[in-house]
Amino acid sequence: MAEIKSSRIEISDGALIPDKGEHSLFSAWRLAFFGAIAVLVLLPVLFPDPYLDIIKFIPDGILKTFEVTVLSIIFALIIGLFTGLGRISRITFINRLATIYVEVVRGIPLLVQLFYIYYALGKMVQLPRLTSAVVAMSFCYGAYLGEIFRAGLQAIPKGQMEAALALGLSRSQAIRKIILPQTFKVIMPPVGNEFIALLKDSSLVSILAVSDLLRRGREFASTSFRYFETYTVIALVYLVITLFLSKLVALMEERMQHHER
Amino acid sequence: MNDKPIIRIKNAVKTFGTVQALRGVDLEIKHGEVVLIIGPSGSGKSTLLRSVNRLETLTKGEIWVDEDSVTNKDSDIRKIREEVGMVFQSFNLFSHLNVLENITMAPLTVKNVSKQEAAETARKLLKRVGLADKETAYPSQLSGGQQQRVAIARSLAMNPRVMLFDEPTSALDPEMIKEVLDVMLDLAKEGMTMMVVSHEMGFARAAADRVIFMDEGLIVEEGTPGDIFSNPQEPRTKRFLEHIL
């Protein structure tokens, strides 16, 4: 039998992935997830003032957070795809360009990038706040996803490309029909993790007064002066969302391993 | 077999860094001829084979398939590759496609055939390699021998005029080698021009018109299977055969 290389790639950037072996009733994930939900339910029941008001105040923010996250991940995936392809390109110019982009973005904190796009570049083109936020997040995460795409593309055995070329396909046909579909499969879990990381980082956009989850909390707290209560709820809501998503990623990964030979 | 060569290799030289994989190989293969290339690892036999469809680019020298130059940078290599099938040691089936899709992918992408026509051809080929019941299976669900037979069918779907085999049975468990060789034998009998890198003596005796022994990037000796295996002239050939027999 030929030795079949595992096409899994290891990139840990986003949330902690629950241990797949951990199936006990009191796994860390369950304790944290259901604990957080229980607290979120109990607090407004026991102390309707102010917790019920807080809970009523933030759903718009949750939606906005998801809006920023989903829009950003979509654009980041597109940027990431081309960056990843650029990183493995044989054309020196394209290769360098992609590499420089990755290096530059990874070397600048996201918060600084946000400021730069909204305030510094705003001197030339003033984009709306939400657009600025999505542009900055996509630009930043495009580089991270580019590296995931690169790793994914390189994880596909060389023989796949050779077989496609030998059959008469062009290089771009081979990439589209043979390499990319396999790459997408391999990178799903790491992309899921990036999605979670992006969702958490999206709280930074509140600095541009985009009314995301954190911003809504801030608005509530600054009028009611209930800082402790408000930020407790905000933290718990983030926690429940990310724990839920990281479970999804873990399940996805588990299923992938089942499909592997 | 007619006497006109379909593959012509002239003074093929290939260097990888400081390593000389090919050091000036001349070879002609006629229509319908089955040529087996043997030699120790590192002798350049795979490099030579892979140069024929330009998976390797020669450092020097020329190769033609019929009238088309493989080595000329301006020639349409994809057109040539359509005519030259290749089977790999590690099968290289497309793991995200099922058996039928593996076979129809290239005809659908490269040639203007209808889906129906491609599927029909694929089913015929699957029957021919004895895997008619496997069309919806994925490569990971097949044994090595089955995968290699699908790989052969996939190549044949492009209706090539030449088939290159790069150690097609080296990655197989012993009990699966025969099923692959049988398919290759049938192909040879039907008159396919074949260039095979392999040490399968049984196949050589049954199907090969010529055996070529390569060492250190050169053709050392060539002849009929009988000549080479029973009566080798060169000491290097003798030594090599003692090792593998």
Side-chain angles (χ1 to χ4, degrees), chain A residues 1-2 4 158-171 173 177-179 181-182 185 259-261, chain B residues 50 53 55 78 81-82 84 86 88 92-96 105-106 109-110 140 144 147 154-155 158 171-173:
Chain A
M1 245 338 265
I4 294 159
K158 231 178 91 203
Q160 297 283 308
M161 173 60 92
E162 286 190 345
L165 292 180
L167 284 164
L169 271 73
S170 69
R171 198 162 267 280
Q173 282 173 332
K177 300 234 161 187
I178 305 302
I179 306 299
Q182 296 184 52
K185 233 170 113 187
H259 280 289
E260 264 168 39
R261 41 232 122 187
Chain B
R50 290 163 55 86
N53 64 353
L55 284 185
R78 285 162 60 193
R81 283 171 175 161
E82 283 178 34
V84 181
M86 185 162 201
F88 300 86
N92 298 347
L93 290 184
F94 304 129
S95 54
H96 62 304
M105 194 279 306
T109 309
V110 178
S140 57
Q147 288 191 52
R154 178 176 69 175
S155 279
M158 291 299 285
L172 294 176
D173 290 335

Side-chain angles (χ1 to χ4, degrees), chain A residues 11-261:
Chain A
I11 291 184
S12 59
D13 228 21
L16 173 80
I17 297 173
D19 188 349
K20 279 154 272 356
E22 234 182 28
H23 283 309
S24 78
L25 196 56
F26 296 106
S27 70
W29 183 87
R30 281 176 191 223
L31 284 173
F33 183 68
F34 293 110
I37 287 181
V39 174
L40 270 179
V41 171
L42 281 177
L43 282 178
V45 170
L46 298 177
F47 313 101
D49 175 40
Y51 288 106
L52 199 58
D53 299 328
I54 301 173
I55 298 271
K56 280 188 195 154
F57 193 72
I58 57 173
D60 288 355
I62 298 178
L63 284 181
K64 189 61 81 180
T65 288
F66 271 104
E67 190 185 345
V68 172
T69 307
V70 170
L71 283 176
S72 302
I73 199 89
I74 290 170
F75 290 116
L77 276 170
I78 297 168
I79 297 172
L81 169 62
F82 286 105
T83 307
L85 288 170
R87 291 273 278 147
I88 60 163
S89 170
R90 297 162 152 200
I91 304 165
T92 319
F93 173 73
I94 292 176
N95 194 311
R96 285 288 142 76
L97 195 71
T99 310
I100 289 170
Y101 163 61
V102 170
E103 292 294 345
V104 166
V105 167
R106 290 208 297 191
I108 303 174
L110 175 55
L111 187 55
V112 176
Q113 291 181 41
L114 274 166
F115 272 43
Y116 198 82
I117 286 177
Y118 186 67
Y119 294 111
L121 294 185
K123 289 272 166 229
M124 289 170 263
V125 230
Q126 188 64 64
L127 298 171
R129 292 167 192 280
L130 181 70
T131 313
S132 294
V134 170
V135 167
M137 304 280 298
S138 315
F139 187 71
C140 176
Y141 272 82
Y144 294 129
L145 289 177
E147 286 301 89
I148 292 176
F149 268 103
R150 179 183 61 82
L153 287 165
Q154 286 174 338
I156 309 303
K158 231 178 91 203
Q160 297 283 308
M161 173 60 92
E162 286 190 345
L165 292 180
L167 284 164
L169 271 73
S170 69
R171 198 162 267 280
S172 68
Q173 282 173 332
I175 286 176
R176 265 184 293 131
K177 300 234 161 187
I178 305 302
I179 306 299
L180 279 182
Q182 296 184 52
T183 306
F184 287 133
K185 233 170 113 187
V186 179
I187 66 169
M188 284 237 294
V191 165
N193 280 331
E194 288 302 301
F195 183 83
I196 296 167
L198 201 157
L199 187 134
K200 287 187 292 177
D201 276 351
S202 76
S203 61
L204 290 171
V205 307
S206 62
I207 214 98
L208 302 187
V210 173
S211 52
D212 73 327
L213 179 53
L214 179 59
R215 183 76 190 186
R216 289 293 278 175
R218 223 172 112 188
E219 285 164 13
F220 189 89
S222 62
T223 49
S224 66
F225 301 107
R226 301 280 200 151
Y227 290 101
F228 177 80
E229 294 86 341
T230 309
Y231 289 124
T232 302
V233 171
I234 298 293
L236 286 170
V237 171
Y238 272 115
L239 184 62
V240 167
I241 295 173
T242 52
L243 281 173
F244 175 74
L245 289 174
S246 64
K247 189 66 174 182
L248 278 187
V249 173
L251 288 176
M252 203 158 74
E253 219 176 29
E254 209 171 335
R255 265 188 65 177
M256 258 185 66
Q257 273 168 352
H258 267 292
H259 280 289
E260 264 168 39
R261 41 232 122 187

Side-chain angles (χ1 to χ4, degrees), chain B residues 139-200:
Chain B
S140 57
Q141 299 166 317
L142 301 178
S143 73
Q146 291 170 330
Q147 288 191 52
Q148 194 61 299
R149 284 186 282 155
V150 173
I152 294 173
R154 178 176 69 175
S155 279
L156 292 175
M158 291 299 285
N159 205 11
R161 307 169 60 199
V162 183
M163 286 285 284
L164 310 174
F165 290 86
D166 191 3
E167 309 211 27
T169 56
S170 309
L172 294 176
D173 290 335
E175 74 270 21
M176 293 171 186
I177 291 178
K178 189 174 174 300
E179 64 189 53
V180 172
L181 290 182
D182 283 347
V183 170
M184 290 170 60
L185 220 57
D186 281 345
L187 262 183
K189 274 186 206 143
E190 287 162 23
M192 176 65 78
T193 308
M194 293 163 70
M195 196 169 162
V196 185
V197 171
S198 169
H199 295 151
E200 295 293 341

Side-chain angles (χ1 to χ4, degrees), chain B residues 116-150:
Chain B
Q116 218 175 350
E117 199 184 334
E120 223 167 84
T121 313
R123 291 202 178 95
K124 249 181 245 163
L125 288 167
L126 276 177
K127 208 164 152 197
R128 187 161 153 198
V129 299
L131 293 169
D133 54 333
K134 295 288 185 195
E135 63 175 75
T136 56
Y138 280 83
S140 57
Q141 299 166 317
L142 301 178
S143 73
Q146 291 170 330
Q147 288 191 52
Q148 194 61 299
R149 284 186 282 155
V150 173

